[in-house]
Amino acid sequence: MTETHAVVQHGPKHQYHLVDPSPWPLIGAFCAGTLAVGGVLYMHNYGSWLLIIGAIAVLAMMAAWWRDVIKEATFQHLHTPVVQIGLRYGMALFIASEVMFFAAFFWAFFNSSLFPVGGVWPPKGIHPFEAFELPFLNTMILLLSGTTVTWAHAALLEGERRTVLLALGLTILLGLSFTGVQAWEYSHAAFGFKDGIFPSTFFMATGFHGFHVIIGTTFLIVCWFRAYAGHFKPDHHFGFEAAAWYWHFVDVVWLFLFVCIYWWGGGTAPAIE
């Protein structure tokens, strides 16, 4: 009775997760600093060795940190319903911060296209992509991937593990297909990044989105392996939910990119003069 009473007295009396001291924030700051300095040196033609070291260090730190988070959620059961609410707010705010990135790129694009130098947009000498060729194909790919990730979520809520793996696998294949099509598109572009304001804003907006697709695909690949290992339960799978939110965010941003940059701003719509 005394031992039981002692456990009750010294156990946690709340549903919050008080995180243990971790080395990853400090190590992460050092790795990110190395990556930033390496990027600056690379852009000033001092070689890429420090940039590569920084990128590898950041990826290794992220993998180790997220491994600890997965351990806390899955094996230590520290992500209580109250903690999961905080995680949801955190993911929502993170996505909101990503929206601000794209808002800046759209602002630059519309500022240039609505008040073009020379009075015409796209600028003379620029031959943009046909919106309803490769860009439209990629639009269909991303929209389909949005349905398959939703299918995976519905199957997870029903406890159908094999269906989850199938639907997630299809989503991953679609994400890889999008990246492949975009790489092919870029390799056949009739303009380069330094060829003016249209190429600069085009590559910044669509390239940054492509980077997000790669991140989202990696996110989903991790979720596939976690689903295979049985980490996700119908009532406890925020890791998958976060990946699905992120993927839908990527889908929505692409729709705006397709309509605004490829169709309206690329000359497929009536000329802007």
Side-chain angles (χ1 to χ4, degrees):
M1 286 293 291
T2 305
E3 292 180 1
T4 303
H5 180 71
V7 170
V8 173
Q9 286 295 104
H10 293 90
K13 301 180 179 61
H14 52 75
Q15 297 188 59
Y16 297 96
H17 177 203
L18 302 181
V19 183
D20 293 331
S22 171
W24 302 124
L26 181 61
I27 294 174
F30 178 78
C31 294
T34 303
L35 178 63
V37 173
V40 172
L41 293 177
Y42 173 73
M43 286 183 277
H44 286 79
N45 299 317
Y46 284 100
S48 60
W49 60 273
L50 190 60
L51 176 64
I52 295 172
I53 291 173
I56 294 173
V58 167
L59 291 174
M61 178 276 304
M62 291 166 64
W65 197 345
W66 287 337
R67 176 206 61 193
D68 289 351
V69 174
I70 291 172
K71 187 186 301 181
E72 293 166 356
T74 307
F75 303 107
Q76 298 176 356
H77 306 291
L78 296 174
H79 289 183
T80 64
V82 172
V83 173
Q84 289 184 56
I85 291 174
L87 293 172
R88 283 180 168 80
Y89 276 119
M91 189 65 192
L93 291 172
F94 169 70
I95 291 175
S97 72
E98 295 292 283
V99 170
M100 293 300 103
F101 268 116
F102 285 101
F105 296 143
F106 278 110
W107 188 299
F109 182 81
F110 280 114
N111 183 67
S112 303
S113 60
L114 292 174
F115 308 99
V117 176
V120 62
W121 187 269
K124 293 180 179 179
I126 296 296
H127 302 284
F129 293 100
E130 289 293 332
F132 290 94
E133 293 181 356
L134 289 179
F136 184 71
L137 173 61
N138 258 350
T139 302
M140 294 299 100
I141 289 173
L142 271 191
L143 289 177
L144 181 58
S145 72
T147 64
T148 54
V149 77
T150 302
W151 177 27
H153 190 202
L156 180 55
L157 293 174
E158 296 296 326
E160 299 174 1
R161 184 161 164 263
R162 292 183 62 182
T163 304
V164 172
L165 295 175
L166 172 62
L168 257 184
L170 289 174
T171 308
I172 292 166
L173 287 176
L174 289 167
L176 294 173
S177 299
F178 177 94
T179 301
V181 171
Q182 189 173 50
W184 176 266
E185 177 188 70
Y186 278 10
S187 68
H188 290 75
F191 47 81
F193 185 84
K194 298 180 180 180
D195 290 343
I197 187 62
F198 179 90
S200 297
T201 53
F202 171 85
F203 282 119
M204 281 301 298
T206 61
F208 196 63
H209 175 270
F211 176 65
H212 279 69
V213 171
I214 294 172
I215 293 174
T217 305
T218 305
F219 205 167
L220 293 171
I221 290 172
V222 172
C223 286
W224 190 93
F225 282 104
R226 292 192 65 194
Y228 181 80
H231 289 183
F232 297 135
K233 301 293 186 292
D235 60 344
H236 197 282
H237 54 266
F238 175 71
F240 175 83
E241 281 187 291
W245 290 3
Y246 191 84
W247 197 251
H248 288 309
F249 157 70
V250 167
D251 286 352
V252 172
V253 170
W254 177 258
L255 290 177
F256 281 97
L257 288 171
F258 175 77
V259 172
C260 298
I261 294 182
Y262 282 102
W263 182 70
W264 182 82
T268 306
I272 305 168
E273 295 187 3

